Amino acid sequence: MTPRNKALLKPMAIGALIAFALIALFLIPIKNPNPDWGKFWLVKPFIIVPLAGAIGGAVYYFIGKLSTQKGWPKIVATIISILIYLIGIWMGTVIGLDGTLWN
């Protein structure tokens, strides 16, 4: 594994772990799910949302690589990366919970 791949995996792993923790906060308190959702209804959100978080982490890495300047351009790139990450998590949550909690 090259050093660049290792550098990419770190923000992807962090993004996926944050997304996993956020979706777990929504799903763990549910004690009596609707029987129409099926037996393995938790699998879909626990796969899709962390995947969206990992993609958001990759976007953060690549935008950070594109912005090699210091000062305001770096700050703007970081803010854009965070917004893209949050939109990705939101979209992943909507897709992951479609047909269950958000029907």
Side-chain angles (χ1 to χ4, degrees), residues 34-89:
N34 188 340
D36 294 337
W37 296 345
K39 198 170 169 182
F40 300 107
W41 72 275
L42 283 172
V43 173
K44 182 180 171 187
F46 274 122
I47 290 175
I48 292 177
V49 177
L51 183 62
I55 292 170
V59 168
Y60 179 82
Y61 172 80
F62 287 120
I63 289 179
K65 284 292 185 183
L66 291 175
S67 175
T68 57
Q69 301 173 358
K70 302 288 183 198
W72 286 106
K74 186 74 169 178
I75 293 170
V76 170
T78 302
I79 291 171
I80 290 171
S81 299
I82 291 170
L83 287 174
I84 291 171
Y85 177 78
L86 292 174
I87 291 169
I89 293 295

Side-chain angles (χ1 to χ4, degrees), residues 80-102:
I80 290 171
S81 299
I82 291 170
L83 287 174
I84 291 171
Y85 177 78
L86 292 174
I87 291 169
I89 293 295
W90 172 67
M91 290 173 59
T93 302
V94 169
I95 293 169
L97 295 178
D98 182 42
T100 57
L101 291 176
W102 288 347

Side-chain angles (χ1 to χ4, degrees), residues 5-21 49-61 85 89:
N5 289 347
K6 288 182 184 178
L8 173 61
L9 285 178
K10 184 177 179 183
M12 287 180 72
I14 291 170
L17 287 173
I18 291 170
F20 185 83
V49 177
L51 183 62
I55 292 170
V59 168
Y60 179 82
Y61 172 80
Y85 177 78
I89 293 295

